[in-house]
């Protein structure tokens, strides 16, 4: 189980590192936000699963599942609220964005 737990933590850390790369690479704030949100959610999920694999006690499993549930609900919700407020306040959108469903314009 130590090998599985260590691999899960390693892959979770790699997901987080890829998210940082996306944050640094992308120009558009919404793309940066998506990279951070997805990377943090997937990375923390794998790290918490690795923690459970390394220390399989009831208390560890309970706290890891509670944290995963909280992260999986809060992270996408907060990202959506931040992105919506960015668009509503007139923030710049990427030139590669083909469709803005929040604009209110009917096509």
């Amino acid at each position: 189980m130590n090998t599985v737990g260590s691999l899960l933590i390693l892959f979770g850390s790699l997901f987080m590192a890829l998210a940082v790369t996306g944050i640094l690479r992308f120009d558009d704030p919404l793309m940066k936000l998506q990279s951070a949100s997805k990377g943090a959610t997937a990375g923390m999920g794998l790290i918490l699963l690795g923690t459970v694999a390394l220390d399989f006690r009831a208390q560890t499993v309970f706290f890891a599942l509670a944290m995963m549930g909280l992260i999986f609900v809060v992270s996408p919700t907060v990202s959506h609220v931040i992105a919506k407020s960015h668009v509503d306040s007139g923030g710049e959108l990427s030139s590669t964005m083909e469709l803005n469903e929040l604009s209110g314009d009917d096509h």
Side-chain angles (χ1 to χ4, degrees):
M1 261 335 221
N2 285 342
T3 304
V4 173
S6 298
L7 285 175
L8 286 170
I9 291 173
L10 176 67
F11 288 140
S13 300
L14 289 175
F15 262 100
M16 300 283 263
L18 286 173
V20 169
T21 304
I23 292 170
L24 296 175
R25 183 174 171 263
F26 292 135
D27 295 327
D28 185 29
L30 298 179
M31 290 182 190
K32 290 182 179 198
L33 183 63
Q34 183 200 16
S35 175
S37 173
K38 304 292 185 210
T41 303
M44 283 305 299
L46 288 172
I47 289 171
L48 289 169
L49 284 175
T51 303
V52 167
L54 289 175
D55 184 23
F56 195 72
R57 292 182 299 168
Q59 182 180 8
T60 306
V61 172
F62 173 76
F63 283 121
L65 289 176
M67 288 173 61
M68 284 172 52
L70 186 67
I71 290 169
F72 286 176
V73 170
V74 170
S75 181
T77 306
V78 169
S79 295
H80 175 78
V81 169
I82 293 170
K84 178 104 170 73
S85 66
H86 175 76
V87 171
D88 288 347
S89 68
E92 285 189 35
L93 299 177
S94 172
S95 61
T96 59
M97 184 178 286
E98 296 177 11
L99 174 65
N100 182 2
E101 294 179 356
L102 298 175
S103 67
D105 297 334
D106 292 331
H107 299 81

